[in-house]
Amino acid sequence: MAKIRVTGPPFTRAVWPGALAVTVLLGVSVSGIQPYDRTTWLLETVWVLVGLPLIVLAWRRFPLTGLLCCLLALHALVLAMGGHYTYARVPVGEWLRDTFGLARNPYDRVGHLMQGFVPAVLVRELLSRTSPLRGSRWLAPLTVCACLAFSAVFEMLEWAAAVIGGAAANDFLATQGDVWDTQWDMFCALVGAVLSLLLFSRRHDRQLAALGTYMPGTSS
């Protein structure tokens, strides 16, 4: 397998990802101090608790682009806040609800928008670097499909939590009485994925190029 040639200022390459990792670690740690519900906090932040160590362990062989690192860190903090307060009680969401006269706390919608917005860049990076899809017209639609599939799997996990936990799972579900909550969640993920690709594809391509060539069958 070819080694990845990372270009760019050495200081930035070494310090910036570490600073983001420390920020995420601190954010998740603070969110775990007297959360509204410990089980809900664990269910919401488990992705960070598992994902961050995996990224650190794989970093030498598979460093990520700076764009993806920033987006993953932002998503982790969104999850940590939702886990601490539960999505229906996040203060900034309550402020938005009261300010704009909304029927519900919209932070859950923000969380599901991020569920498509950030994984779109993650999936795009993985497909670009480990498959022949880089530069293909199929890269964008397959990326969106993968994000929708992840969103659907997450909704099934929420369904399983409701079956197992009953009323105790209400804080994790955060439906706030909306019978169409599942459909809205997946729609928000779809919008997030498409918006992310429209905003970041060109910038992402430049950062992928800066990492060096990493295609199956290439040599260093």
Side-chain angles (χ1 to χ4, degrees):
M1 181 181 293
K3 294 182 179 179
I4 303 174
R5 298 187 297 275
V6 183
T7 61
F11 179 81
T12 302
R13 295 202 312 265
V15 174
W16 184 238
L20 289 174
V22 170
T23 300
V24 169
L25 186 60
L26 288 174
V28 173
S29 298
V30 171
S31 75
I33 300 174
Q34 297 183 339
Y36 182 86
D37 179 76
R38 178 63 62 182
T39 300
T40 299
W41 175 83
L42 181 60
L43 290 172
E44 297 292 358
T45 60
V46 65
W47 310 99
V48 185
L49 300 176
V50 173
L52 182 58
L54 289 178
I55 292 173
V56 172
L57 289 173
W59 187 264
R60 292 188 64 184
R61 292 179 59 84
F62 202 87
L64 305 179
T65 59
L67 173 63
L68 180 55
C69 288
C70 291
L71 289 176
L72 287 173
L74 178 61
H75 197 186
L77 296 178
V78 169
L79 292 172
M81 184 174 292
H84 180 79
Y85 292 103
T86 77
Y87 279 82
R89 298 178 179 85
V90 173
V92 66
E94 293 182 349
W95 177 81
L96 290 171
R97 180 196 61 201
D98 297 339
T99 300
F100 296 101
L102 303 177
R104 53 174 282 160
N105 187 319
Y107 192 80
D108 179 57
R109 303 291 191 230
V110 174
H112 284 278
L113 188 76
M114 292 294 289
Q115 193 182 70
F117 194 83
V118 177
V121 177
L122 173 61
V123 171
R124 190 177 191 274
E125 183 150 328
L126 293 176
L127 290 178
S128 293
R129 294 169 62 180
T130 63
S131 79
L133 286 171
R134 185 170 185 175
S136 168
R137 68 181 64 181
W138 287 102
L139 180 59
L142 288 177
T143 295
V144 172
C145 287
C147 292
L148 274 176
F150 175 73
S151 180
V153 168
F154 189 84
E155 295 303 321
M156 287 189 281
L157 291 175
E158 287 189 342
W159 166 64
V163 171
I164 296 171
N170 287 340
D171 288 326
F172 177 57
L173 297 177
T175 60
Q176 301 182 67
D178 186 356
V179 296
W180 300 107
D181 185 71
T182 297
Q183 289 78 8
W184 270 111
D185 289 348
M186 290 190 288
F187 176 72
C188 286
L190 171 62
V191 171
V194 173
L195 184 61
S196 180
L197 293 180
L198 290 174
L199 290 175
F200 295 132
S201 288
R202 290 187 178 180
R203 181 177 180 181
H204 194 213
D205 283 339
R206 291 195 296 269
Q207 293 195 8
L208 287 170
L211 280 177
T213 56
Y214 184 75
M215 296 293 291
T218 60
S219 58
S220 57

